[in-house]
Amino acid sequence: MSNENLLKQVAFIKEIDQLKYIQRRTKLFNSDRHENDAEHSWHLAMMAIVLAEHSNTTIDLLKVLKMLLIHDIVEIDAGDTFIYDQTKSHTNTAAELLAAKRIFGMLPEAQAASLIAVWEEFEAGVTDEAKFARSMDRFEPLLQNISNKGGTWEEFNVPYEKVVEKKKIIGDGSTPLWKYAAALLDEAVEKGILKK
Amino acid sequence: MSNENLLKQVAFIKEIDQLKYIQRRTKLFNSDRHENDAEHSWHLAMMAIVLAEHSNTTIDLLKVLKMLLIHDIVEIDAGDTFIYDQTKSHTNTAAELLAAKRIFGMLPEAQAASLIAVWEEFEAGVTDEAKFARSMDRFEPLLQNISNKGGTWEEFNVPYEKVVEKKKIIGDGSTPLWKYAAALLDEAVEKGILKK
């Protein structure tokens, strides 16, 4: 039975290698190279480890790390949805749910159910862990765009108001982090790399 | 004080972006593209999450994830050392210790000390968590090389006996995983992608 589990888990481990090919719109810090989803997931997990003290509430860091490490795996099937896309919603789409069922469904049943639940909890954004995890997911590209003289804000003509609308949920996870991030956005406007 | 911490943490978050540029010798599954350290670290963390049930002992999964997420950060300064390198040892070198002190040293003092301790625990390989984390680190490239018709074994002419010598510590973390991995190595010999 344990060996049957192992075979399923190894098949899953091979399958998720594809996350390394999914390109995001945002680019690495001070760079022209697009970030891929696997690198992004690693970076968010590292951020959660070092920024946990700024969470608004006591959080289960292990849960947060699981959320961040798996949150984009559905994009292997469903593709990356750009946060400022006007036509396609970034929220839990039918395609993403199908992807979660197929990919996590490669694992032993109980494990699949458990990881799908973690992913759904992240997507819903209601629990303290989901709020903090989502604030990491919004904060990283903000730092990247600033390092890249506006990055995707500049490239896709995204105005300050729209950026604030998307980024302010950082505060649901961490008030001090949002305070800091909001100041960075104001500075970006002053520097002319974000348009008001 | 908290804001002073935050500034240090953000500087660290930007610094470790460089891990995405450190190339490993091994390549992605069924691919010619080299894996980078950030992708590798993400993949090992995912493996630990799905394979934890096969650990020889009850492990603190949060500790294991921290180990795997940070284990290669020293390579930003010290570079990747190839596991089958004949002249340079892969073990905790002076250059790696310096790197750990510089990079983790960007964080607030207590946090830096704590992450350096986690990294040293991984390197020492003595605790149950370090043993399991290290078995992940040895198992991923084994799977990659098999998918790539021998991969670095073929490329650098590494014989079966040498591979077994390096890989058998998988069993220190997980007996069933080593049993499975050893069978894969035997199969690789039969297929002619690993020379005895």
Side-chain angles (χ1 to χ4, degrees), chain A residues 9 13 20 36 39 43 54, chain B residues 9 20 36 39 43 54:
Chain A
Q9 288 152 345
I13 286 163
K20 300 167 189 171
N36 71 52
E39 297 166 330
H43 214 154
H54 305 289
Chain B
Q9 289 153 344
K20 299 167 189 169
N36 71 52
E39 298 167 329
H43 214 153
H54 305 290

Side-chain angles (χ1 to χ4, degrees), chain A residues 71-150:
Chain A
H71 82 291
D72 272 342
I73 284 179
V74 294
E75 297 190 354
I76 288 173
D77 286 357
D80 182 45
T81 301
F82 186 44
I83 191 172
Y84 301 107
D85 195 311
Q86 303 289 337
T87 53
K88 217 167 136 194
S89 161
H90 191 71
T91 52
N92 192 347
T93 63
E96 286 186 343
L97 187 57
L98 263 180
K101 286 183 179 168
R102 183 191 74 78
I103 304 167
F104 295 121
M106 297 176 72
L107 291 166
E109 205 173 325
Q111 194 167 41
S114 148
L115 288 184
I116 290 172
V118 169
W119 174 73
E120 286 180 328
E121 183 178 334
F122 172 82
E123 287 289 318
V126 173
T127 63
D128 291 343
E129 283 74 20
K131 284 177 186 164
F132 189 73
R134 290 167 72 89
S135 67
M136 300 299 103
D137 197 26
R138 298 284 159 107
F139 187 52
E140 189 222 22
L142 183 155
L143 291 177
Q144 288 168 324
N145 276 349
I146 287 174
S147 82
N148 288 322
K149 302 192 173 69

Side-chain angles (χ1 to χ4, degrees), chain B residues 81-92:
Chain B
T81 301
F82 186 45
I83 190 172
Y84 301 108
D85 195 310
Q86 304 289 335
T87 54
K88 217 165 135 195
S89 162
H90 190 71
T91 53
N92 191 347

Side-chain angles (χ1 to χ4, degrees), chain A residues 2 5-7 9-10 12-14 16-17 19-21 28-29 31 33 35-36 38-39 41-43 45-47 49-51 53-54 61-62 65-66 69-70 73 107 111 139-140 143-144 176-177 180, chain B residues 2 5-7 9-10 12-14 16-17 19-21 28-29 31 33 35-36 38-39 41-43 45-47 49-51 53-54 61-62 65-66 69-70 73 107 111 139-140 143-144 176-177 180:
Chain A
S2 154
N5 279 6
L6 185 51
L7 293 179
Q9 288 152 345
V10 169
F12 174 81
I13 286 163
K14 291 178 186 173
I16 63 172
D17 195 62
L19 203 64
K20 300 167 189 171
Y21 297 97
L28 303 189
F29 285 82
S31 172
R33 209 260 273 164
E35 186 179 45
N36 71 52
E39 297 166 330
S41 303
W42 166 79
H43 214 154
M46 282 304 307
M47 289 170 61
I49 291 172
V50 303
L51 297 175
E53 71 183 79
H54 305 289
L61 184 57
L62 176 58
L65 293 182
K66 284 184 181 176
L69 292 167
I70 72 168
I73 284 179
L107 291 166
Q111 194 167 41
F139 187 52
E140 189 222 22
L143 291 177
Q144 288 168 324
L177 196 62
Y180 174 71
Chain B
S2 155
N5 279 6
L6 185 52
L7 294 179
Q9 289 153 344
V10 169
F12 173 81
I13 287 163
K14 291 178 185 172
I16 63 172
D17 196 61
L19 203 64
K20 299 167 189 169
Y21 297 97
L28 303 189
F29 285 82
S31 171
R33 210 260 273 163
E35 185 178 45
N36 71 52
E39 298 167 329
S41 303
W42 167 78
H43 214 153
M46 282 303 306
M47 288 170 62
I49 290 172
V50 303
L51 296 176
E53 70 182 82
H54 305 290
L61 184 57
L62 176 59
L65 293 183
K66 284 184 182 176
L69 292 167
I70 71 168
I73 284 179
L107 291 165
Q111 194 166 44
F139 186 53
E140 189 221 24
L143 291 177
Q144 288 168 324
L177 196 62
Y180 174 72

Side-chain angles (χ1 to χ4, degrees), chain A residues 168-181:
Chain A
K168 67 182 179 210
I169 71 158
I170 291 172
D172 297 345
S174 168
T175 303
L177 196 62
W178 172 234
K179 201 175 151 193
Y180 174 71

